[in-house]
Amino acid sequence: MLVFSSFFLHGPLPQSRSASAVALIAILVAALLLLVRRRWPIPVLAGCVALYGLASATGTVAPGIVLAIAIATFGLANRSTRRVTIIAAAITAAAVFLLSVIGAVVSAADPRMVQFVLAVALAAAAGDATRSRREYIVAITERAERAEQTREAEARRRVSEERLRIARDLHDTVAHQIAVISLNAGLASSSLESPEKAKEALSAIRSASRAVLSEIGNLLALLRTEDPDAVITAPPPGLGRLDELVAQFAQSGLAVRLRVEGDPGRVGGTTDLVAYHVIQEGLTNALKHGGDHRAHVLVEVTDDQVAVVVTNPTVPSAVDAETRGATVGHGLLGLRERVASVRGVIESGITAGGYRLAAVLPSTKEGPG
């Protein structure tokens, strides 16, 4: 821009008049003013225009001051808004034109007038373009930073959700089998005088241990694999495997009465899995904390929802703990998260007949295949 302006200001100009002392001082002052143009762009531009008027009053053509005006205009446009730039450039060009004519330096039809005005206009345009590019780069950088922060936040959210999912899966895998092992270990220790009962208890412990080790092995294999599409090969649990679940608890000494109303085959997807885990958690709690070693399971399937209720008698210690506000275990916490993930509701607590765990889940029709 400075080279282009210098060409317009110096190239085609004929030999100017001898500069007076006042004109020389005005040129030097204009050069000094440019040193502070970044701090005070408007006062510097106004000062350069005033100095040009002073030189014109002496009858001197001062291309150096016009160049200083162009530089000051560029600095103002580079640090101001477009509206301010347009107004300032228009006023400056008009001032240079009028001061040149009034000072009788050149006539209005002189080609040098076009050079002076064009220099100011080009300086304003170059400064505005520089400012616009700088703002564009800043905006692009800010968007990139926000996108990076969003990606990091999304990654942290996914890690947190994955940790919760692993915790729920690990609990569902281990809790029931550990409860079976604990119950049968106590039964075996109290049945040492009855070899047959002790043998049955130890057999149940061995079977539960193998099951939990197998399930943990599958879960660890899934976590260690590098294939993002890897899945556990075992069939997913659901309401279709309720008989198998009840048989497992019956083998552990819990008598379960199961009543199913409606067609469980109509339930599919995540709802089917969550309903199964609700029943599993309720029966596990009944096995660990219930009384009389019995429980009742009710499953109601309608067109738009699935209701699951698990009840069992309680021992006095469990009622006292509930009354004192005992903390909810990790199993119920994970269960509430599962139910919430399918927009269902869950309730648990002591009732007149014992402990009750109930959940209502929106029904998801199973698709073909």
Side-chain angles (χ1 to χ4, degrees), residues 273-283 308-310 335 339 346 357-359 361:
L273 176 64
V274 172
Y276 178 90
H277 283 305
V278 170
I279 298 173
Q280 183 185 49
E281 180 66 23
L283 294 179
V308 176
V309 181
V310 181
L335 200 60
V339 172
I346 185 170
L357 177 65
L361 313 172

Side-chain angles (χ1 to χ4, degrees), residues 172-251:
D172 294 337
T173 300
V174 174
H176 165 59
Q177 303 297 347
I178 294 300
V180 172
I181 292 173
S182 176
L183 181 65
N184 284 277
L187 181 62
S189 63
S190 63
S191 304
L192 294 179
E193 296 179 357
S194 177
E196 290 299 326
K197 291 184 178 180
K199 183 178 180 181
E200 292 178 0
L202 292 174
S203 176
I205 292 174
R206 185 185 306 111
S207 176
S209 300
R210 289 176 178 175
V212 72
L213 288 176
S214 176
E215 292 176 357
I216 291 178
N218 289 336
L219 181 60
L220 292 178
L222 178 64
L223 295 177
R224 289 178 179 272
T225 184
E226 296 181 357
D227 183 7
D229 299 326
V231 296
I232 297 178
T233 55
L239 295 179
R241 297 177 60 184
L242 282 184
D243 293 337
E244 178 184 343
L245 181 65
V246 169
Q248 292 177 359
F249 279 97
Q251 185 179 3

Side-chain angles (χ1 to χ4, degrees), residues 306-318:
V306 180
V308 176
V309 181
V310 181
T311 58
N312 62 271
T314 57
V315 296
S317 60

Side-chain angles (χ1 to χ4, degrees), residues 132-352:
S132 298
R133 179 175 176 79
R134 183 175 64 252
E135 292 176 351
Y136 173 76
I137 293 175
V138 171
I140 289 294
T141 303
E142 290 178 352
R143 283 198 294 268
E145 291 176 352
R146 286 196 298 269
E148 183 66 23
Q149 293 172 357
T150 302
R151 283 194 295 269
E152 292 177 356
E154 179 66 15
R156 288 193 297 267
R157 185 187 65 81
R158 291 185 178 182
V159 169
S160 178
E161 290 181 352
E162 186 66 12
R163 290 173 60 187
L164 290 175
R165 186 191 66 80
I166 293 173
R168 289 194 297 265
D169 291 346
L170 188 60
H171 177 273
D172 294 337
T173 300
V174 174
H176 165 59
Q177 303 297 347
I178 294 300
V180 172
I181 292 173
S182 176
L183 181 65
N184 284 277
L187 181 62
S189 63
S190 63
S191 304
L192 294 179
E193 296 179 357
S194 177
E196 290 299 326
K197 291 184 178 180
K199 183 178 180 181
E200 292 178 0
L202 292 174
S203 176
I205 292 174
R206 185 185 306 111
S207 176
S209 300
R210 289 176 178 175
V212 72
L213 288 176
S214 176
E215 292 176 357
I216 291 178
N218 289 336
L219 181 60
L220 292 178
L222 178 64
L223 295 177
R224 289 178 179 272
T225 184
E226 296 181 357
D227 183 7
D229 299 326
V231 296
I232 297 178
T233 55
L239 295 179
R241 297 177 60 184
L242 282 184
D243 293 337
E244 178 184 343
L245 181 65
V246 169
Q248 292 177 359
F249 279 97
Q251 185 179 3
S252 303
L254 182 67
V256 181
R257 181 181 177 186
L258 174 64
R259 187 175 70 177
V260 179
E261 298 180 0
D263 182 13
R266 300 174 58 186
V267 184
T270 307
T271 300
D272 191 28
L273 176 64
V274 172
Y276 178 90
H277 283 305
V278 170
I279 298 173
Q280 183 185 49
E281 180 66 23
L283 294 179
T284 299
N285 289 337
L287 180 65
K288 293 168 60 177
H289 310 297
D292 296 340
H293 301 291
R294 60 188 176 87
H296 182 273
V297 177
L298 172 63
V299 179
E300 295 181 345
V301 180
T302 62
D303 292 337
D304 55 355
Q305 68 179 25
V306 180
V308 176
V309 181
V310 181
T311 58
N312 62 271
T314 57
V315 296
S317 60
V319 177
D320 294 341
E322 183 73 17
T323 304
R324 291 192 304 266
T327 57
V328 179
H330 294 291
L332 286 178
L333 287 176
L335 200 60
R336 295 183 190 280
E337 293 169 354
R338 285 186 183 274
V339 172
S341 68
V342 295
R343 300 186 300 277
V345 294
I346 185 170
E347 297 178 352
S348 62
I350 299 296
T351 63

